[in-house]
């Protein structure tokens, strides 16, 4: 009886390409977060005018503060998702195809997608508030 020769999947450069794309995604999230935080700090300093704050400025600052907090949380979430996904890819194909990890890639991608949508919403809100 001849041993069965099942084809072995060769991932090629797929793990490296995926790691690079995760890094680009994180870099763009960090840039968006920095810009939102910069806008919030600018509004906290009275818009650079150094004068007293108007009555409507407190709501403006709270809104930008919420956007900054969402930006920070979503960026951290993306970093965690990227680290987990890159570790799974570098663990090898056998780890990806085992039954223990079947739900992990789906959960990572859904979480990362939700974080990106939340970051986009925070960016749009910060822009609407006049960063």
């Amino acid at each position: 009886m001849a041993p069965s020769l099942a084809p072995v999947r060769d991932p090629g450069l797929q793990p490296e390409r995926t790691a690079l794309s995760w890094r680009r995604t994180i870099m763009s999230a960090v840039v968006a977060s920095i810009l939102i935080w910069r806008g919030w700090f600018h509004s906290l300093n009275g818009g650079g005018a150094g004068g007293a704050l108007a009555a409507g400025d407190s709501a403006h600052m709270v809104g930008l503060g919420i956007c900054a907090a969402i930006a920070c949380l979503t960026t951290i979430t993306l970093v965690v998702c990227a680290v987990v996904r890159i570790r799974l890819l570098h663990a090898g194909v056998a780890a990806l195809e085992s039954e223990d990890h079947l739900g992990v890639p789906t959960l990572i991608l859904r979480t990362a997608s939700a974080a990106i949508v939340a970051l986009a919403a925070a960016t749009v809100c910060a822009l609407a508030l006049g960063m």
Side-chain angles (χ1 to χ4, degrees):
M1 186 154 54
S4 85
L5 297 173
V8 178
R9 182 176 172 266
D10 179 22
L13 294 176
Q14 189 262 336
E16 286 78 14
R17 287 192 310 263
T18 302
L20 287 172
S21 68
W22 276 102
R23 288 182 183 121
R24 284 190 305 265
T25 302
I26 289 171
M27 188 175 295
S28 62
V30 166
V31 168
S33 295
I34 288 172
L35 291 175
I36 292 172
W37 277 86
R38 181 182 168 269
W40 184 47
F41 286 138
H42 186 69
S43 72
L44 285 176
N45 292 330
L53 296 175
D57 286 343
S58 63
H60 179 262
M61 286 187 300
V62 170
L64 281 176
I66 291 171
C67 291
I70 290 172
C72 182
L73 291 175
T74 55
T75 302
I76 291 170
T77 302
L78 282 173
V79 169
V80 170
C81 289
V83 167
V84 170
R85 182 66 177 156
I86 290 170
R87 282 188 182 166
L88 275 175
L89 286 173
H90 287 295
V93 179
L96 287 175
E97 294 174 351
S98 72
E99 292 199 19
D100 295 338
H101 292 102
L102 280 179
V104 174
T106 305
L107 179 64
I108 291 170
L109 295 177
R110 286 182 181 174
T111 304
S113 297
I116 289 171
V117 169
L119 180 59
T123 304
V124 168
C125 289
L127 289 172
L129 289 170
M131 273 187 352

